[in-house]
């Protein structure tokens, strides 16, 4: 079993495709298509090892998701993928890894590094 | 002339001798008992004359003055007529001047006292001495009058001098008015009763382009104002005769060159010489332009905000496209697709990346982050840039050299942004030299007010030296976004610096001057 990744993006097709690619590369992946679904998933066990989240989403945004995730698992690797990278800097502590959209898959793999991979 | 000289001269003139002094002294005691009565009658007489009486402030003063008059008579018949005596007489005259006693009253009053004293002399002096004593008395009184009149004369002269001084300063002031009128940039135009120009200051000359010698005597309306303003102004000019109040009018002035200028006039009727009306005009053309420009800038800022919001949002669909292209590439490779198919997908991926770069650069340009200035070593900055461009330079067969001064220069700057500037310039230089290769020099020099950084290459030079290379969306490169140099320019100017280019075939130099901040240190 690879590390568990939660992909959060309100663009469901993109989230699913990203999940598919990550799965092929050895990760366990679950997808949430909005903030409330992401937080609902984070309340359950097993708590994901990695969170890849969009930032600007309706109702509950990525900042709230990341904060909740960090409270659930302080050592969780968090990657925020956003079109608004400048909004992340001051909003989150500790600062997550920030990747600017459009996401280059290779950059994401580099950012995840060997986190949790066997 | 000094007082004692004047007195000596007076004595010689009226023939006042020591014998006269003795005669007066001798008659003093016989007359003295009447002095209070003379003083009383004297002031009673004055009370009958309004203008003379008006100089008194009250009964107390009159009582005091009566005492003074008695003392004066004692003095007059005292027998000593030296300089000290006439100094006192002079002071009495000065008091008369000060209280504003008209000269004619001093004369007629003296006449009263003289007659009274003469009568007493006739009645009481020794028979043989009456004539001589009366003559002595007259001489003494005339000298008294002469000295007191000097005070009037001195005061009169002083008044004339004061008036001349006032006249002079009034003249100076008047010419100061004229000078001020010439100094102001406002238009000052004076018209006669028929609306012809009489006064035309340099402000009016400047705004209209006409010299005063051309317009003086010409009708104001037809000469200066544009046709569309004639009706309003002529109505005001006609009305000013009946109602003497100020008006205000916004008009167009047609300049000698035929241009229209917005002028707001204050119109005031007057009667200074032949000038019947003054018009003070304020040229608001530039202000209006400025206002339009700032409205334009506001509009652009609003459009910029909108565009920036749009740019951010474009990243979302690009993200979806990019990710699916990556997935497609993976699938095609796995399925053993043809090179053509793979290349086609790669092109889509490259185009998406290009769009992504454009969005990022556009946002850098449209929404620059505030500068984060820190004291920075330019040696270190240039070294870092050299390191960053090394792979590109090697690929393009470009030799990069640094030409540094003996001492490092530290400048307050935003290191990340300035690094971007030098990277942009260095990368441009390398691209200009590709594929045949060449040389790039990163040069640093200290200047009095800042640091000069040059990026020089020996490439073919800019295709057109006058091209607006620093403008947004101007590019000579097929792959360029047209924003690189615009951002570079913006960062440099945000630092208060300048950027310029000098280009010819074989030598292109970009020069960036970064001014020293408040605290400059030499490392």
């Amino acid at each position: 079993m690879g590390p568990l990744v939660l992909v959060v993006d309100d663009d469901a097709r993109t989230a699913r495709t990203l999940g598919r690619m990550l799965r092929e590369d050895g990760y366990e992946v679950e997808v949430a298509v909005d903030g409330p679904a992401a937080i609902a998933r984070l309340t359950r066990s097993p708590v994901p090892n990695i969170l890849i989240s969009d930032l600007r989403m309706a109702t509950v945004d990525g900042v709230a998701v990341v904060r909740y995730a960090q409270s659930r698992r302080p050592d969780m690797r968090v990657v925020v993928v956003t079109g608004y990278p400048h909004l992340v800097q001051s909003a989150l502590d500790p600062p997550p890894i920030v990747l600017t959209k459009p996401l280059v898959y290779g950059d994401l793999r580099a950012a995840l590094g060997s986190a949790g991979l066997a | 002339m000094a007082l004692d000289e004047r007195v000596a001269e007076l004595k010689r003139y009226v023939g006042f001798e020591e014998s006269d002094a003795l005669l007066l002294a001798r008659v003093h005691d016989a007359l003295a008992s009447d002095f209070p009565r003379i003083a009383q009658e004297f002031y009673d007489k004055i009370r009958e004359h309004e203008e003379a009486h008006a100089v008194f402030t009250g009964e107390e003063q009159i009582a005091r003055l009566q005492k003074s008059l008695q003392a004066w008579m004692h003095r007059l018949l005292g027998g000593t007529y030296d300089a000290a005596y006439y100094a006192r007489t002079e002071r009495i005259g000065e008091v008369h001047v000060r209280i504003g006693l008209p000269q004619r009253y001093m004369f007629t009053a003296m006449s009263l006292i003289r007659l009274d004293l003469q009568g007493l002399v006739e009645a009481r002096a020794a028979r043989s001495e009456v004539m001589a004593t009366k003559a002595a008395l007259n001489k003494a009184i005339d000298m008294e009058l002469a000295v007191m009149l000097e005070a009037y004369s001195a005061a009169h002269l002083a008044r004339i001098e004061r008036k001349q001084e006032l006249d002079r300063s009034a003249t100076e002031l008047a010419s100061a008015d004229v000078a001020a009128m010439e100094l102001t940039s406002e238009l000052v135009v004076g018209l006669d009763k028929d609306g012809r120009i009489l006064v035309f200051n340099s402000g009016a000359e400047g705004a209209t382009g006409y010299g005063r010698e051309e317009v003086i005597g010409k009708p104001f309306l037809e000469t200066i104002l544009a046709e569309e303003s004639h009706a309003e102004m002529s109505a005001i000019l006609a009305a000013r005769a009946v109602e003497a109040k100020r008006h205000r009018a916004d008009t167009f002035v047609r300049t000698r060159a035929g241009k229209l200028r917005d002028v707001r006039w204050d119109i005031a009727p007057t009667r200074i010489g032949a000038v019947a009306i003054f018009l003070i005009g304020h040229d608001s053309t530039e202000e209006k332009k400025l206002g339009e420009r700032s409205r334009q800038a506001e509009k652009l800022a609003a459009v910029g905000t909108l565009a920036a919001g749009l740019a951010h949002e474009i990243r979302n669909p690009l993200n979806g496209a990019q990710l699916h292209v990556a997935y497609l590439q993976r699938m095609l490779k796995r399925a053993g697709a043809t090179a053509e198919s793979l290349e086609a997908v790669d092109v889509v991926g490259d185009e998406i990346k290009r769009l992504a770069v454009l969005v990022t650069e556009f946002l850098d340009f449209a929404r620059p982050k505030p500068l984060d200035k820190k004291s920075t070593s330019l040696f270190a900055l240039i070294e870092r840039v050299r390191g960053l461009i090394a792979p590109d330079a090697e690929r393009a067969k470009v030799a990069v050299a640094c030409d540094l001064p003996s001492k490092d220069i530290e400048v307050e700057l935003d290191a990340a942004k300035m690094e971007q500037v030098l990277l942009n310039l260095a990368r441009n230089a390398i691209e200009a030299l590709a594929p045949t290769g060449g040389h790039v020099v990163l040069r640093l020099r200290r200047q009095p007010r800042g640091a000069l950084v040059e990026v020089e290459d020996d490439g073919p030079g800019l295709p057109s030296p006058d091209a607006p290379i620093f403008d947004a969306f101007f590019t000579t490169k097929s792959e360029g976004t047209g924003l690189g140099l615009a951002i570079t320019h913006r960062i440099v100017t945000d630092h208060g610096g300048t950027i310029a280019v000098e280009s010819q075939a074989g030598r292109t130099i970009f020069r960036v001057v970064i001014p020293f901040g408040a605290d400059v240190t030499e490392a």
Side-chain angles (χ1 to χ4, degrees):
Chain A
M1 287 279 273
L4 178 58
V5 182
L6 177 62
V7 174
V8 186
D9 197 327
D10 53 4
D11 179 351
R13 291 179 304 178
T14 301
R16 275 203 302 272
T17 302
L18 177 59
R20 200 174 299 151
M21 292 174 80
L22 285 167
R23 240 175 250 124
E24 286 176 6
D25 291 344
Y27 295 88
E28 286 280 313
V29 182
E30 292 187 33
V31 171
V33 294
D34 58 34
I39 287 177
R41 172 59 192 88
L42 285 165
T43 56
R44 288 188 282 112
S45 290
V47 179
N49 308 89
I50 297 168
L51 172 69
I52 299 170
S53 178
D54 191 4
L55 189 69
R56 302 249 290 199
M57 293 178 291
T59 63
V60 176
D61 71 0
V63 172
V65 173
V66 171
R67 283 209 185 112
Y68 184 68
Q70 284 169 336
S71 76
R72 286 285 285 154
R73 185 171 197 149
D75 67 340
M76 188 181 298
R77 176 153 296 213
V78 177
V79 179
V80 172
V81 182
T82 178
Y84 301 81
H86 59 284
L87 294 181
V88 184
Q89 314 304 335
S90 52
L92 288 166
D93 184 39
I97 296 162
V98 180
L99 295 176
T100 302
K101 287 182 181 179
L103 179 66
V104 175
Y105 185 75
D107 292 350
L108 177 68
R109 285 302 308 275
L112 295 180
S114 55
L117 274 182
Chain B
M1 211 191 295
L3 177 66
D4 48 351
E5 285 175 51
R6 275 185 286 133
V7 170
E9 189 191 62
L10 272 173
K11 281 181 178 170
R12 273 198 307 280
Y13 193 70
V14 297
F16 191 87
E17 306 287 344
E18 197 48 39
S19 56
D20 294 308
L22 282 171
L23 284 168
L24 291 177
R26 217 175 292 156
V27 83
H28 171 267
D29 289 351
L31 272 52
S33 59
D34 276 58
F35 289 171
R37 179 193 54 81
I38 294 172
Q40 177 77 45
E41 284 177 4
F42 175 82
Y43 280 98
D44 287 348
K45 202 93 184 168
I46 286 180
R47 287 171 208 266
E48 292 167 17
H49 298 272
E50 204 176 326
E51 197 183 343
H53 185 247
V55 304
F56 301 127
T57 56
E59 289 305 316
E60 277 176 32
Q61 189 203 16
I62 289 175
R64 215 166 44 243
L65 289 170
Q66 285 180 2
K67 286 228 165 58
S68 300
L69 182 54
Q70 289 179 45
W72 176 76
M73 286 185 281
H74 285 294
R75 230 163 52 79
L76 182 67
L77 303 177
T80 310
Y81 306 95
D82 54 8
Y85 175 95
Y86 284 105
R88 284 200 66 186
T89 307
E90 203 171 40
R91 277 201 298 282
I92 294 168
E94 284 163 8
V95 170
H96 289 165
V97 170
R98 197 172 65 236
I99 65 174
L101 180 72
Q103 289 178 49
R104 59 180 183 279
Y105 290 120
M106 194 179 72
F107 262 92
T108 47
M110 195 63 92
S111 176
L112 289 175
I113 294 167
R114 188 198 301 261
L115 284 172
D116 212 328
L117 289 174
Q118 278 179 345
L120 289 172
V121 167
E122 278 174 19
R124 297 181 191 169
R127 280 263 57 87
S128 59
E129 290 179 356
V130 166
M131 289 302 290
T133 306
K134 272 170 75 176
L137 181 69
N138 278 333
K139 288 179 205 171
I141 287 176
D142 286 341
M143 282 170 57
E144 201 73 8
L145 275 173
V147 170
M148 286 197 284
L149 276 174
E150 293 269 322
Y152 280 94
S153 152
H156 189 62
L157 271 175
R159 242 191 0 250
I160 288 172
E161 271 171 27
R162 173 101 188 96
K163 183 164 179 347
Q164 282 173 339
E165 202 177 295
L166 280 174
D167 286 350
R168 200 162 45 240
S169 66
T171 314
E172 276 165 16
L173 272 177
S175 58
D177 286 351
V178 172
M181 193 180 91
E182 289 306 313
L183 280 176
T184 179
S185 59
E186 306 288 79
L187 297 78
V188 180
V189 178
L191 308 182
D192 69 10
K193 58 181 173 35
D194 300 318
R196 287 174 197 284
I197 298 168
L198 287 179
V199 175
F200 202 74
N201 77 335
S202 58
E205 290 182 323
T208 62
Y210 289 111
R212 64 195 69 184
E213 69 285 351
E214 299 174 277
V215 295
I216 285 183
K218 298 230 176 96
F220 171 70
L221 277 185
E222 290 78 357
T223 314
I224 303 299
L225 290 193
E227 300 69 37
E228 50 263 61
S229 298
H230 281 189
E232 188 190 358
M233 185 59 91
S234 71
I236 291 171
L237 294 185
R240 60 91 203 156
V242 269
E243 35 171 331
K245 66 175 194 192
R246 298 171 77 106
H247 285 273
R248 181 165 271 196
D250 289 306
T251 69
F252 287 116
V253 159
R254 187 175 294 285
T255 68
R256 176 196 208 103
K259 283 191 183 150
L260 291 182
R261 301 196 74 89
D262 291 293
V263 177
R264 162 166 290 188
W265 298 98
D266 270 311
I267 302 151
T270 181
R271 266 187 212 142
I272 302 171
V275 178
I277 193 156
F278 260 119
L279 297 104
I280 315 296
H282 178 72
D283 184 349
S284 56
T285 313
E286 299 305 321
E287 286 159 33
K288 283 194 179 160
K289 251 190 229 163
L290 219 67
E292 272 160 28
R293 220 172 292 153
S294 82
R295 276 194 294 282
Q296 181 77 5
E298 273 168 31
K299 228 185 275 173
L300 276 177
V303 171
T305 304
L306 199 68
L310 181 65
H312 280 298
E313 282 309 315
I314 283 174
R315 282 173 166 167
N316 279 324
L318 284 182
N319 191 51
Q322 172 99 320
L323 214 77
H324 284 92
V325 165
Y327 183 67
L328 202 52
Q329 280 170 325
R330 183 181 278 193
M331 291 286 111
L332 284 171
K333 266 182 208 154
R334 199 173 294 164
T338 60
E340 286 80 12
S341 311
L342 278 171
E343 199 195 324
V345 178
D346 285 349
V347 168
V348 177
D350 288 347
E351 292 302 312
I352 291 167
K353 275 182 195 127
R354 224 175 104 182
L355 266 173
V357 170
L358 175 60
V359 165
T360 300
E361 290 196 346
F362 175 79
L363 286 170
D364 277 350
F365 179 69
R367 283 288 193 71
K369 276 177 262 163
L371 296 181
D372 178 20
K373 285 207 211 174
K374 284 191 183 73
S375 183
T376 306
S377 150
L378 291 180
F379 273 19
L381 185 67
I382 288 172
E383 201 43 59
R384 202 157 55 240
V385 170
R386 200 237 280 260
L388 286 167
I389 59 170
D392 291 348
E394 203 176 321
R395 227 171 305 151
K397 299 189 207 87
V398 171
V400 178
C402 290
D403 175 3
L404 303 176
S406 55
K407 275 190 199 161
D408 194 3
I409 303 172
E410 291 210 0
V411 182
E412 288 275 319
L413 50 77
D414 185 321
K417 289 220 161 104
M418 204 48 79
E419 182 181 298
Q420 197 187 342
V421 165
L422 298 185
L423 267 180
N424 279 350
L425 295 177
R427 288 208 166 113
N428 280 351
I430 290 168
E431 281 172 30
L433 293 168
T436 51
H439 300 85
V440 168
V441 180
L442 304 177
R443 189 175 294 114
L444 174 65
R445 290 288 182 269
R446 170 177 283 272
Q447 289 192 340
R449 286 162 198 280
L452 167 71
V453 185
E454 290 185 347
V455 178
E456 180 180 337
D457 70 69
D458 54 359
L462 295 174
S464 159
D466 299 324
I469 55 168
F470 295 114
D471 282 5
F473 300 115
F474 176 86
T475 183
T476 57
K477 296 185 267 182
S478 55
E479 298 289 302
T481 61
L483 283 168
L485 279 180
I487 292 165
T488 298
H489 185 267
R490 173 167 218 153
I491 293 172
V492 172
T493 50
D494 282 354
H495 278 83
T498 56
I499 181 166
V501 64
E502 181 193 314
S503 180
Q504 61 210 53
R507 189 163 181 258
T508 296
I509 305 177
F510 278 85
R511 292 197 175 88
V512 175
V513 177
I514 313 157
F516 295 133
D519 34 72
V520 184
T521 51
E522 206 165 322

